[in-house]
Amino acid sequence: YAKPEVVLTDTAMCRGIQFKPYGKINSTGGIGRYFWRCGSNQGSTAQPIWNMTDTGKLLFTLNVEDLNGCQGADTAYIFVSSLGKIGIGFNDSDQCFAGHKFNLSANCLSNSQNKFRWKLPQHPVATTQSINGVKFGSPGTYRVELFISNPWGCSDSAALDLEVYESPGVILYDTQV
């Protein structure tokens, strides 16, 4: 009997998705046993479904045994990405007066493939990880939104309300008569 031929393919995805691993199997006898493994996930059915929680470059294996007792196997890699916990950082609150400048930064797991999109009131959309010199001319509450994505299907967003106050005025009195 010919042993089953198993072909797995490298793939990439985002952490937290439901993944149905796929392998191409050529066999003259029906498959009687499956053993899938990837990171902490494993399965023994023809089509397991995994919630991908491990991250990084994970070894992906499938071992099969056909009804004649012949075995076949293959390995590949699955890259599981994550943005981590995202948020918006800004310089200290002493800058919260009309006309003063805010420096904003996107906080997430660093990766050169991350794409950033900022939605700023009174300003055009920006696409860099950090934005310096954002200022508002009048008091009020201004909402800043950040959208982050990467090529592996991860995307998330964060928002921050910035309170801008009237700049304090200084009045000088001449106390000499």
Side-chain angles (χ1 to χ4, degrees):
Y1 300 105
K3 74 179 199 168
E5 179 188 2
V6 179
V7 180
L8 298 178
T9 305
D10 292 347
T11 190
M13 67 192 63
C14 187
R15 180 180 186 261
I17 70 157
Q18 277 200 335
F19 174 58
K20 293 180 181 180
Y22 171 79
K24 183 177 179 185
I25 302 169
N26 295 319
S27 175
T28 56
I31 301 300
R33 187 181 71 83
Y34 297 86
F35 185 70
W36 302 84
R37 176 170 282 211
C38 182
S40 62
N41 297 295
Q42 57 186 10
S44 58
T45 63
Q47 183 62 79
I49 299 173
W50 297 332
N51 185 18
M52 300 302 285
T53 56
D54 300 326
T55 57
K57 186 178 179 181
L58 307 174
L59 184 63
F60 174 40
T61 61
L62 171 58
N63 295 293
V64 297
E65 183 177 308
D66 70 15
L67 299 176
N68 298 317
C70 298
Q71 297 180 355
D74 194 20
T75 61
Y77 287 97
I78 295 181
F79 176 69
V80 183
S81 178
S82 173
L83 294 172
K85 181 174 172 39
I86 76 161
I88 300 173
F90 69 102
N91 52 324
D92 66 21
S93 59
D94 291 343
Q95 301 299 312
C96 295
F97 294 107
H100 288 223
K101 295 178 182 176
F102 288 94
N103 297 328
L104 305 170
S105 61
N107 298 328
C108 64
L109 289 179
S110 181
N111 186 306
S112 63
Q113 299 291 315
N114 288 347
K115 303 281 186 229
F116 302 93
R117 195 173 118 253
W118 294 87
K119 186 176 175 187
L120 306 168
Q122 305 176 351
H123 295 281
V125 171
T127 58
T128 56
Q129 185 168 356
S130 296
I131 304 170
N132 295 326
V134 175
K135 65 182 184 175
F136 306 100
S138 57
T141 301
Y142 298 91
R143 187 164 194 81
V144 174
E145 294 176 293
L146 168 65
F147 304 91
I148 305 175
S149 63
N150 69 24
W152 304 287
C154 298
S155 64
D156 205 347
S157 63
L160 176 67
D161 289 327
L162 297 172
E163 295 285 337
V164 177
Y165 304 101
E166 188 68 51
S167 295
V170 176
I171 300 173
L172 297 175
Y173 295 98
D174 185 354
T175 57
Q176 295 181 349
V177 183

